[in-house]
Every structure is written in structure tokens, then in C-alpha cells.
Amino acid sequence: MTYRSYVAIGDSFTEGLNDPGHDGHFRGWADRVAERLAALEPGFRYANLAVRGKLLDQIVERQVPAAVELKPDLVSLCAGGNDLLRPGGDPDRMAKTFARAVRDLRATGAEVVLFTGVDPRDTPLMRHVRGRCATFYLHVRSIADLYGCRVVDQWSMQSLRDWRAWSEDRLHMNAEGHRLVAAKVCEVLGVPSEDDWRHTWPPRERVDRRVKLREDRLWLREHLLPWVGRRLRGTSSGDAVDPKRPSLGPYLTMADADSPFGDARTP
């Protein structure tokens, strides 16, 4: 199946943090998937409405109606991760909101792709909410069955359990992690891809304990404490951030880097 238009909605994961792209924007798995879809369909158009830090209610209130208005052939929705990190994140309540959003998106006739999250058992900051995450992502699977959606199951992706797929903040994937997710999405869509999400990492050299402690202290100072500070102040990293692709437009190549959509593709 080919797609003529694709809208990606969500938070930092779909925006593409921390996969550097062109012209100061992040690339990410969604841009990588759009690149593959554009290669298969002349005139393909792409929009990415995702903004870092957004909660499920914010995504459903603002991004879902915008996606419905754009009437694309394909929509990807990944939301709820930021809610699950907060003490009040109720996976059952979240599932009801999520289901309404999926219903509205499917009512347009669009193909909808949903996501489970990565198993957080190896992540110190998220390990304590593992049960809450598992409950919500079981809801996501049930909602996908109910409305006939495709599911990208990151929970089962062993390739993402290696820290070499993650950036220094330990919350967002790096370019390699986004590449693996893009390969998985392409497989779920039945789209050919040169990459394989079943990546096997080579053995790592043992890290000296003193080096590990130094890395942990740096992560605490540079990433964890600022994150906690934003929670206490009630602010978000995405408060002053606009969607990088607010409307459907061509997915252009590096030769068109001086165009409004020139950030779409990087080497």
C-alpha cells in the first residue's frame, strides 16, 4: 500500500529529539519514515505536529483536530509517555482519552499507527512506573484492535534496550535509536526499508566504575535536576516550541534545503 500524505502527532519522541537534522530542527523516526514513503509515491506530502513535553490531553485537544482537518491517508499517534512519568498519571483514565482520539482519527478514513513504549525496566528514572506503563500500553493494544489500527510494539524491541540507542539524557533516543524505530514502523506499514530493527549490538567494553559514577553525576546535574525543576515550576520544555511541520507539504531532498521544508532530510 502506498500513502500520499502522512501526519505525525505526539510529543518529543515523534518530534525527533535527539536526532539532529538540518537547519536546527530534529529529524527523528517520523521524518525517516516520511523519506521512505516519499520515495515510493510522487507528490507525497508530510506534516509533523508533535511538540516535546506535551501531555496526552494537550495532544488530543490541539494536534488531533489539526490532523483530522488535514485529512491525510496516514496518521501516527504516540502519546501518554509524559503523563506516565507524573504521579497523577492514571492509565485507565488516559486510555479513555486516547480511545476518543483514535476514534476521531479513524473516522476520517485514515490508516492509524499506534505505539507501545519501550520497556522502562532498565531506566532508573522510569523503572518505578513500569506497571503503570504496561497497563496503559495494554490499553493501547486493545484500542488498536477495536478500531483496526496498526501497532508498533517498542516493548519487544530488544535492540532499544542497549544504551547506545539513547542520548545522554537517557530519556530520548539518539539517531541510531530513531533509525531502528523507523525500520520497525516501515515493517508494520509493509514499506521496504534498508534498515533492520532487529539490530544486534557488538559487545561493549567494560566501563570503569569511576567513569560510570562520573557519568551518573553529570547526568544528574545536566538532565535530571533541570527536568525536576520544570516539574516543580509547572513548565514544559515545549512551552515555546512550535510544530516543525504544521501543514502538509512535500518531503524534499537536500537539493531543496533552501525551501521552507528543507530541514526534511539529512545525510
Side-chain angles (χ1 to χ4, degrees):
M1 183 175 181
T2 58
Y3 301 96
R4 294 166 298 175
S5 55
Y6 166 39
V7 175
I9 55 181
D11 51 29
S12 57
F13 170 65
T14 303
E15 185 186 346
L17 275 70
N18 286 316
D19 181 6
H22 178 75
D23 197 25
H25 291 295
F26 290 109
R27 188 185 185 189
W29 66 266
D31 282 19
R32 293 169 181 268
V33 170
E35 179 178 344
R36 297 300 306 146
L37 297 176
L40 299 173
E41 183 65 23
F44 172 81
R45 297 177 302 148
Y46 169 52
N48 190 317
L49 310 181
V51 175
R52 69 197 74 171
K54 296 305 180 185
L55 301 172
L56 175 60
D57 287 343
Q58 294 172 318
I59 292 169
V60 171
E61 178 184 350
R62 301 172 189 175
Q63 296 181 29
V64 170
V68 169
E69 184 69 22
L70 291 172
K71 298 180 173 61
D73 297 330
L74 174 67
V75 178
S76 64
L77 169 61
C78 185
N82 292 315
D83 301 74
L84 293 169
L85 282 173
R86 287 164 167 75
D90 180 350
D92 297 322
R93 184 201 64 80
M94 291 167 57
K96 294 179 181 179
T97 302
F98 194 88
R100 290 195 299 271
V102 173
R103 179 197 62 200
D104 291 346
L105 292 170
R106 285 291 285 151
T108 68
E111 186 84 48
V112 176
V113 178
L114 307 179
F115 294 74
T116 72
V118 178
D119 186 347
R121 62 179 170 175
D122 301 319
T123 309
L125 183 61
M126 296 182 63
R127 189 183 300 131
H128 70 286
V129 297
R130 190 185 185 207
R132 191 186 305 169
C133 291
T135 300
F136 178 66
Y137 295 129
L138 281 173
H139 280 306
V140 169
R141 281 193 164 278
S142 298
I143 293 166
D145 288 342
L146 179 63
Y147 290 104
C149 304
R150 301 179 187 236
V151 177
V152 176
D153 184 11
Q154 295 184 93
W155 196 281
S156 66
M157 291 179 66
Q158 294 299 307
S159 55
L160 295 180
R161 292 193 58 200
D162 193 292
W163 283 112
R164 283 171 284 188
W166 297 82
S167 59
E168 292 180 354
D169 66 9
R170 305 182 185 179
L171 280 176
H172 300 98
M173 296 174 191
N174 58 23
E176 185 65 16
H178 281 283
R179 184 185 67 81
L180 295 172
V181 173
K184 178 71 170 180
V185 175
C186 285
E187 180 179 284
V188 168
L189 292 174
V191 173
S193 172
E194 297 177 356
D195 297 316
D196 186 359
W197 62 267
R198 301 173 185 82
H199 178 70
T200 301
W201 295 91
R204 295 191 67 173
E205 296 182 4
R206 178 173 294 182
V207 179
D208 184 271
R209 183 173 179 273
R210 289 170 297 181
V211 174
K212 181 64 169 59
L213 289 174
R214 189 160 57 245
E215 291 177 347
D216 288 343
R217 286 195 295 267
L218 180 63
W219 171 76
L220 179 70
R221 183 177 67 251
E222 299 292 331
H223 300 289
L224 180 59
L225 291 180
W227 182 86
V228 172
R230 289 194 297 272
R231 300 289 79 73
L232 294 175
R233 294 190 300 271
T235 61
S236 167
S237 58
D239 284 346
V241 178
D242 295 321
K244 62 181 181 180
R245 295 176 175 273
S247 59
L248 283 171
Y251 188 94
L252 304 179
T253 65
M254 286 295 288
D256 303 296
D258 58 347
S259 76
F261 292 92
D263 63 312
R265 192 170 177 177
T266 57

